[in-house]
Amino acid sequence: MSTDSRGYWREELSLIAVLLLFFVGIVALSYHLPFDARLFPMVIGSAGILLTLGIAIEQVRRHGARDASTVDDDDPAAKADWPRYTTALLAAPAFGLMFWLVGFIVASLAAMLLIPVLMGYANRRQLVLTALLTVAILALIGPYLLNVDLPHGLVGDWLIDKFALRAS
Amino acid sequence: MIDNLILGLTAALQVKQFIFMVLGTVIGLWVGVLPGLGGPVAMAILIPFTFSMDPLSALLMLASISVGAAFGGSVTSILLNIPGEASSAATAYDGYPMAQQGNAKVAMGLSAGASMAAAIAGVLILMFASGPVAKAALAFSPAEYFALAILGLTVVSVAALGSTIKGLAMGALGIAIGLIGIDSILGSERYTFGFVYLLDGISFVPVMVGLFAITELTSMILQGGTIARAGRLEGSLWDGFWDTFRYPFTLVQSTAVGAFLGMIPGIGATAANFLAYSVAQRSSRHPERFGKGAPEGVIAPEASNNSCIPTSLIPALTLGIPGGATSAILLVAVTLQGLRPGPMLFTSNPELIWGFFMGLLVGAVIATVLYLVMIPWFALITIVRVELLAPMLLIITLFGAYANERNMMDVFVAIFFGLLGYFLRRHGYPLISLVIGLILGRLAEGSFHQALMISDHDYSVFILRPLSALIFAVCLVLVLWPGVKTRLRRGGAEAT
């Protein structure tokens, strides 16, 4: 069994374990609820546990028979090198964290400028132009067309408060 | 009837109404294309602007937004595998493979043809069947609603590509996620762990944005290159448009599925979209082509969601019961105009009602024309480098998740479901079943409890009511049929 297949198999088992844990949690945490409120969660949670156990048995049986699901030929993760794999998995959480901390505009500019570079994009001029245009358009559309104020983030709000205090 | 049609046509074809319909359609197409922002969001934002309009202009503009969004939602489903609208999610299953094969224009032509034909059929059904069908829908008891929700989940799980047991587990996961928040029966807090954000339950928009958009963007970053793998576009828009009518059975069948589900309050265009896709796959002579760029796989979901929108107005206008978010907002608009939805509306305001119906017919044609004019420009996105496209889409989709409720938590929920969706999809778990579970879960639980209350906690109510029993029997057949079919085939092969 290759390293890729072993990793894939471990991932499969981890997913099954997470699902099982979730459904067990649904059943266990419903005990303190009144009967009517816990009836449906009990039914769904129990069904989920049975189905997940069914999946686990099917996978273990197939694994024993050397018929376990293997990495798909079309799976992009199988061909990606580690910087690209890391970029793919961390791009959204990192953007979310920056969005929360430093606000939409700074986070968007950082994402537009960094992600392509991490993916190996070389045309810097086109990159900067696209980044500035995209962020500028969204910065106009949000507040003026959709009536959605762009958040400044925790750091941005702190800075605004600080400057506002200084001004007063 | 003829008098009403002429009256309606005269009212709808005024220049002022035409301008509002074009404006509404353009707004709808635009928000439909933006993942996370759908027709109901745009309608809700624009409701305050309709106060000063006359009732017909207000209703037509709001309805045009909904029609435009249904058309526009398919664009990103086909081009990017990211549904602009929840009700276009199933369109991505075959639309996106067509785009990858360089046939994005053909897929969008198919979508335009199916959407136009189904929207017109839906409006005609709305016109001629309003009264009788609303009465029939009213006869559905909670037991039947519960059975219908289970049927929806079963059909999707059984028809989903890959393992049926994984499909059913995803359905259970979707329902379980829908349980989070205050329960609708007793008002008890469930699984909130003291978080105020969770009291209202996990919002549907960030889950959809995560499961569809972020999941796809993760794969897109891993893949690199361009979406159209050959880096060029083949086929013609008009070929696709006319090709729609080479599949009359799929078109009629999916339009009927969407129109029927639209009339049942609470089911909605999203469920219709998935169900029509599953039904088309099951009834196809070549089900193995689905998911690999089958034209029927684009026609079925697009026909169903576009026929569903007009028919969802049947219970809304005749009984005041909204069939979904779109009809609920239209009901609010009707009320804000000082009108009262119900059977009396048809007799007291025939010009408004028939003008609205005729306006919807004209609106379907306007939406098709605008869609066809704008599509060639949209299609160019498939030959843009992913390195530039992916971060751009990432910030737009997460902005959409934030803009829906202006809540930062929605962004984190979208990211969580995006990464979860990536791993689930990689291991063959159908995300479609999770989404359907989430949509139908609340309906299922509410109906389940209502049925039990009405029957004084007699569980046999679900099988003693003939219609409910019939629907459950269909569920059972759907689950057992693949096994029975395999055995029958084996038996046949052994006999020969």
Side-chain angles (χ1 to χ4, degrees):
Chain A
M1 187 183 265
S2 70
T3 321
D4 274 357
S5 302
R6 212 173 293 136
Y8 189 80
W9 169 242
R10 275 197 210 116
E11 216 173 85
E12 177 93 50
L13 284 183
S14 308
L15 266 180
I16 291 171
V18 169
L19 283 176
L20 197 59
L21 201 68
F22 177 81
F23 286 121
V24 169
I26 288 286
V27 174
L29 294 172
S30 67
Y31 265 107
H32 70 282
L33 296 169
F35 177 77
D36 276 339
R38 76 162 181 260
L39 179 61
F40 205 68
M42 290 282 284
V43 171
I44 295 301
S46 307
I49 291 170
L50 290 176
L51 287 165
T52 314
L53 286 175
I55 295 169
I57 291 166
E58 189 184 293
Q59 289 300 325
V60 170
R61 191 181 51 77
R62 288 176 68 184
H63 187 68
R66 301 276 172 213
D67 187 29
S69 23
T70 49
V71 187
D72 194 339
D73 289 340
D74 286 340
D75 186 357
K79 296 167 198 159
D81 50 12
W82 75 264
R84 189 175 277 265
Y85 191 72
T86 315
T87 308
L89 288 185
L90 292 183
F95 173 74
L97 200 64
M98 284 197 73
F99 190 175
W100 180 52
L101 287 175
V102 292
F104 181 75
I105 293 179
V106 179
S108 303
L109 270 176
M112 287 294 299
L113 293 170
L114 282 176
I115 296 173
V117 173
L118 289 169
M119 289 169 75
Y121 191 73
N123 191 337
R124 301 285 163 94
R125 202 173 151 188
Q126 201 171 34
L127 181 61
V128 172
L129 200 70
T130 315
L132 288 174
L133 260 177
T134 309
V135 177
I137 290 170
L138 281 173
L140 287 173
I141 287 175
Y144 298 109
L145 280 178
L146 298 172
N147 204 21
V148 178
D149 287 330
L150 301 175
H152 304 112
L154 287 183
V155 177
D157 284 336
W158 179 77
L159 285 173
I160 289 168
D161 286 348
K162 202 173 162 99
F163 282 119
L165 281 173
R166 270 183 195 170
S168 65
Chain B
M1 173 66 89
I2 301 284
D3 291 346
N4 283 332
L5 289 174
I6 294 168
L7 184 72
L9 201 61
T10 317
L13 285 182
Q14 289 174 18
V15 177
K16 185 175 70 173
Q17 319 297 11
F18 190 79
I19 290 170
F20 280 124
M21 281 192 282
V22 171
L23 184 68
T25 308
V26 171
I27 294 171
L29 280 170
W30 181 64
V31 295
V33 168
L34 289 176
L37 282 178
V41 177
M43 287 165 77
I45 290 170
L46 286 174
I47 268 199
F49 298 100
T50 62
F51 289 165
S52 54
M53 293 181 186
D54 66 89
L56 184 57
S57 304
L59 287 180
L60 283 178
M61 193 179 84
L62 291 173
S64 300
I65 292 174
S66 164
V67 173
F71 273 68
S74 68
V75 174
T76 46
S77 289
I78 293 167
L79 298 181
L80 307 166
N81 205 10
I82 298 170
E85 282 272 289
S87 59
S88 294
T91 311
Y93 291 119
D94 281 275
Y96 187 62
M98 287 184 81
Q100 286 181 316
Q101 291 153 18
N103 290 321
K105 286 185 179 178
V106 179
M108 288 193 288
L110 285 166
S111 163
S115 298
M116 187 188 78
I120 290 172
V123 178
L124 290 175
I125 294 170
L126 169 67
M127 279 179 178
F128 297 106
S130 287
V133 175
K135 277 181 196 162
L138 200 63
F140 273 54
S141 78
E144 274 89 36
Y145 276 115
F146 176 68
L148 270 177
I150 300 298
L151 175 69
L153 199 61
T154 312
V155 171
V156 171
S157 300
V158 169
L161 298 172
S163 153
T164 301
I165 193 167
K166 282 184 174 175
L168 290 169
M170 286 297 97
L173 180 65
I175 296 178
I177 291 167
L179 296 171
I180 296 170
I182 293 177
D183 94 276
S184 55
I185 307 300
L186 295 174
S188 317
E189 279 185 36
R190 289 191 304 207
Y191 317 110
T192 57
F193 306 104
F195 285 105
V196 177
Y197 173 79
L198 294 176
L199 286 177
D200 286 337
I202 291 183
S203 176
F204 189 62
V205 171
V207 177
M208 289 290 290
V209 165
L211 285 178
F212 290 100
I214 307 295
T215 297
E216 185 53 39
L217 285 173
T218 307
S219 299
M220 208 187 260
I221 293 173
L222 286 167
Q223 185 89 46
T226 55
I227 292 168
R229 287 178 186 162
R232 62 179 188 275
L233 296 171
E234 287 162 4
S236 126
L237 202 63
W238 288 101
D239 284 350
F241 184 81
W242 296 118
D243 270 1
T244 311
F245 303 100
R246 285 176 53 204
Y247 301 93
F249 179 72
T250 308
L251 186 62
V252 172
Q253 183 191 52
S254 310
T255 303
V257 168
F260 175 69
L261 291 178
M263 293 172 213
I264 303 167
I267 300 288
T270 308
N273 183 254
F274 287 120
L275 282 178
Y277 181 88
S278 303
V279 170
Q281 186 183 24
R282 292 187 75 81
S283 59
S284 170
R285 283 181 193 160
H286 303 286
E288 73 283 356
R289 288 188 194 163
F290 279 69
K292 296 171 187 162
E296 300 103 302
V298 175
I299 294 169
E302 283 305 298
S304 66
N305 66 14
N306 281 281
S307 64
C308 184
I309 290 169
T311 56
S312 71
L313 297 174
I314 293 174
L317 291 174
T318 55
L319 302 164
I321 300 170
T326 302
S327 49
I329 295 170
L330 273 172
L331 270 190
V332 173
V334 170
T335 317
L336 287 173
Q337 292 287 342
L339 302 165
R340 195 174 163 191
M344 290 304 287
L345 193 62
F346 285 74
T347 46
S348 60
N349 289 286
E351 191 179 333
L352 172 70
I353 287 294
W354 288 94
F356 179 59
F357 289 166
M358 294 309 288
L360 285 177
L361 265 187
V362 178
V365 180
I366 293 173
T368 310
V369 172
L370 289 173
Y371 183 87
L372 289 171
V373 169
M374 292 172 163
I375 280 174
W377 302 102
F378 286 139
L380 291 174
I381 207 165
T382 57
I383 50 174
V384 173
R385 298 284 309 172
V386 160
E387 287 84 352
L388 280 180
L389 198 59
M392 197 189 294
L393 290 171
L394 179 73
I395 62 174
I396 292 173
T397 44
L398 288 180
F399 174 71
Y402 172 79
N404 182 49
E405 301 265 346
R406 293 153 176 80
N407 192 333
M408 208 53 222
M409 278 303 291
D410 284 347
V411 175
F412 293 119
V413 168
I415 293 167
F416 171 79
F417 277 96
L419 294 179
L420 178 73
Y422 168 74
F423 286 108
L424 288 173
R425 195 171 75 171
R426 188 167 186 239
H427 289 271
Y429 289 84
L431 300 181
I432 199 180
S433 306
L434 198 163
V435 173
I436 283 286
L438 191 61
I439 297 168
L440 296 180
R442 284 170 199 170
L443 173 75
E445 187 184 13
S447 316
F448 178 75
H449 281 292
Q450 281 170 7
L452 286 180
M453 278 179 198
I454 292 168
S455 65
D456 202 15
H457 283 82
D458 178 5
Y459 289 86
S460 63
V461 66
F462 299 107
I463 45 169
L464 288 182
R465 285 186 65 90
L467 191 54
S468 165
L470 180 72
I471 298 169
F472 276 118
V474 173
C475 292
L476 207 62
V477 170
L478 283 171
V479 172
L480 298 178
W481 178 242
V484 173
K485 202 163 73 173
T486 314
R487 290 204 167 201
L488 284 175
R489 269 193 201 148
R490 266 189 216 153
E494 279 167 15
T496 52

